[in-house]
Short mmCIF file of all heavy atoms in Angstrom, two decimals:
data_model
loop_
_atom_site.label_atom_id
_atom_site.label_comp_id
_atom_site.label_asym_id
_atom_site.label_seq_id
_atom_site.Cartn_x
_atom_site.Cartn_y
_atom_site.Cartn_z
N TYR E 546 -20.59 -1.84 -6.60
CA TYR E 546 -21.12 -3.07 -7.19
C TYR E 546 -20.86 -4.26 -6.29
O TYR E 546 -19.88 -4.31 -5.56
CB TYR E 546 -20.47 -3.31 -8.56
CG TYR E 546 -20.76 -2.21 -9.54
CD1 TYR E 546 -19.92 -1.09 -9.61
CD2 TYR E 546 -21.87 -2.26 -10.38
CE1 TYR E 546 -20.20 -0.05 -10.49
CE2 TYR E 546 -22.15 -1.23 -11.28
CZ TYR E 546 -21.31 -0.13 -11.31
OH TYR E 546 -21.57 0.90 -12.19
N GLY E 548 -20.21 -8.44 -6.09
CA GLY E 548 -19.80 -9.67 -6.79
C GLY E 548 -19.51 -9.45 -8.26
O GLY E 548 -18.83 -8.49 -8.65
N HIS E 550 -20.02 -8.17 -11.67
CA HIS E 550 -20.79 -7.02 -12.15
C HIS E 550 -20.51 -6.71 -13.62
O HIS E 550 -20.63 -5.57 -14.06
CB HIS E 550 -20.57 -5.81 -11.26
CG HIS E 550 -19.12 -5.48 -11.05
ND1 HIS E 550 -18.32 -6.18 -10.19
CD2 HIS E 550 -18.32 -4.53 -11.61
CE1 HIS E 550 -17.08 -5.67 -10.24
NE2 HIS E 550 -17.07 -4.67 -11.10
N GLY E 551 -20.09 -7.77 -14.34
CA GLY E 551 -20.09 -7.65 -15.80
C GLY E 551 -18.82 -7.17 -16.45
O GLY E 551 -18.80 -6.95 -17.66
N ASP E 552 -17.73 -6.99 -15.68
CA ASP E 552 -16.50 -6.57 -16.34
C ASP E 552 -15.37 -7.60 -16.20
O ASP E 552 -14.22 -7.31 -16.46
CB ASP E 552 -16.04 -5.18 -15.85
CG ASP E 552 -15.80 -5.14 -14.34
OD1 ASP E 552 -15.75 -6.22 -13.72
OD2 ASP E 552 -15.67 -4.03 -13.78
N GLY E 553 -15.75 -8.82 -15.78
CA GLY E 553 -14.76 -9.88 -15.66
C GLY E 553 -13.88 -9.78 -14.44
O GLY E 553 -12.92 -10.53 -14.27
N GLU E 554 -14.15 -8.80 -13.57
CA GLU E 554 -13.35 -8.61 -12.35
C GLU E 554 -14.29 -8.61 -11.14
O GLU E 554 -14.55 -7.56 -10.55
CB GLU E 554 -12.61 -7.26 -12.40
CG GLU E 554 -11.71 -7.07 -13.61
CD GLU E 554 -10.40 -7.83 -13.50
OE1 GLU E 554 -10.04 -8.23 -12.36
OE2 GLU E 554 -9.77 -8.07 -14.53
N PRO E 555 -14.83 -9.78 -10.76
CA PRO E 555 -15.86 -9.81 -9.71
C PRO E 555 -15.33 -9.36 -8.35
O PRO E 555 -14.16 -9.58 -8.04
CB PRO E 555 -16.25 -11.29 -9.67
CG PRO E 555 -15.13 -12.05 -10.30
CD PRO E 555 -14.51 -11.11 -11.29
N PHE E 556 -16.18 -8.73 -7.56
CA PHE E 556 -15.83 -8.41 -6.20
C PHE E 556 -16.09 -9.61 -5.30
O PHE E 556 -16.81 -10.54 -5.69
CB PHE E 556 -16.59 -7.16 -5.72
CG PHE E 556 -16.05 -5.88 -6.30
CD1 PHE E 556 -16.90 -4.92 -6.85
CD2 PHE E 556 -14.68 -5.63 -6.32
CE1 PHE E 556 -16.40 -3.74 -7.41
CE2 PHE E 556 -14.17 -4.45 -6.87
CZ PHE E 556 -15.02 -3.52 -7.41
N HIS E 565 -11.69 -1.32 -7.77
CA HIS E 565 -10.75 -1.31 -8.89
C HIS E 565 -11.14 -0.21 -9.86
O HIS E 565 -12.26 0.30 -9.81
CB HIS E 565 -10.66 -2.68 -9.58
CG HIS E 565 -11.96 -3.20 -10.14
ND1 HIS E 565 -12.37 -4.50 -9.99
CD2 HIS E 565 -12.95 -2.60 -10.84
CE1 HIS E 565 -13.54 -4.66 -10.59
NE2 HIS E 565 -13.92 -3.52 -11.11
N ALA E 566 -10.17 0.15 -10.69
CA ALA E 566 -10.46 1.20 -11.66
C ALA E 566 -9.68 0.92 -12.93
O ALA E 566 -8.62 0.28 -12.88
CB ALA E 566 -10.07 2.56 -11.10
N PHE E 567 -10.18 1.40 -14.04
CA PHE E 567 -9.59 1.10 -15.33
C PHE E 567 -8.60 2.18 -15.78
O PHE E 567 -8.69 3.32 -15.33
CB PHE E 567 -10.69 0.91 -16.38
CG PHE E 567 -11.50 -0.37 -16.18
CD1 PHE E 567 -12.34 -0.51 -15.08
CD2 PHE E 567 -11.39 -1.42 -17.08
CE1 PHE E 567 -13.07 -1.68 -14.89
CE2 PHE E 567 -12.12 -2.58 -16.88
CZ PHE E 567 -12.96 -2.72 -15.81
N ARG E 573 -13.86 3.84 -15.92
CA ARG E 573 -14.73 3.09 -15.00
C ARG E 573 -14.08 2.96 -13.62
O ARG E 573 -12.92 2.55 -13.52
CB ARG E 573 -15.06 1.70 -15.55
CG ARG E 573 -16.25 1.71 -16.49
CD ARG E 573 -16.54 0.32 -16.99
NE ARG E 573 -15.50 -0.16 -17.90
CZ ARG E 573 -15.47 -1.41 -18.40
NH1 ARG E 573 -16.39 -2.27 -18.07
NH2 ARG E 573 -14.51 -1.76 -19.22
N PHE E 574 -14.82 3.31 -12.58
CA PHE E 574 -14.31 3.36 -11.22
C PHE E 574 -15.32 2.62 -10.34
O PHE E 574 -16.41 3.10 -10.09
CB PHE E 574 -14.22 4.84 -10.82
CG PHE E 574 -13.70 5.15 -9.44
CD1 PHE E 574 -12.96 6.30 -9.21
CD2 PHE E 574 -13.97 4.32 -8.36
CE1 PHE E 574 -12.50 6.60 -7.94
CE2 PHE E 574 -13.51 4.61 -7.09
CZ PHE E 574 -12.77 5.76 -6.89
N HIS E 575 -14.95 1.38 -9.93
CA HIS E 575 -15.89 0.51 -9.22
C HIS E 575 -15.45 0.25 -7.78
O HIS E 575 -14.30 -0.08 -7.53
CB HIS E 575 -16.02 -0.83 -9.95
CG HIS E 575 -16.59 -0.69 -11.33
ND1 HIS E 575 -16.50 -1.68 -12.29
CD2 HIS E 575 -17.24 0.34 -11.93
CE1 HIS E 575 -17.10 -1.27 -13.41
NE2 HIS E 575 -17.54 -0.04 -13.21
N LEU E 576 -16.39 0.36 -6.85
CA LEU E 576 -16.10 0.05 -5.44
C LEU E 576 -16.95 -1.16 -5.02
O LEU E 576 -18.08 -1.31 -5.51
CB LEU E 576 -16.45 1.26 -4.56
CG LEU E 576 -15.62 2.51 -4.89
CD1 LEU E 576 -16.54 3.59 -5.44
CD2 LEU E 576 -14.88 3.02 -3.66
ZN1 LIG V 1678 -15.71 -3.56 -11.98
#
Side-chain angles (χ1 to χ4, degrees):
Y546 299 87
H550 52 283
D552 58 13
E554 304 283 342
F556 285 133
H565 59 224
F567 289 69
R573 274 181 291 174
F574 180 147
H575 297 164
L576 298 114

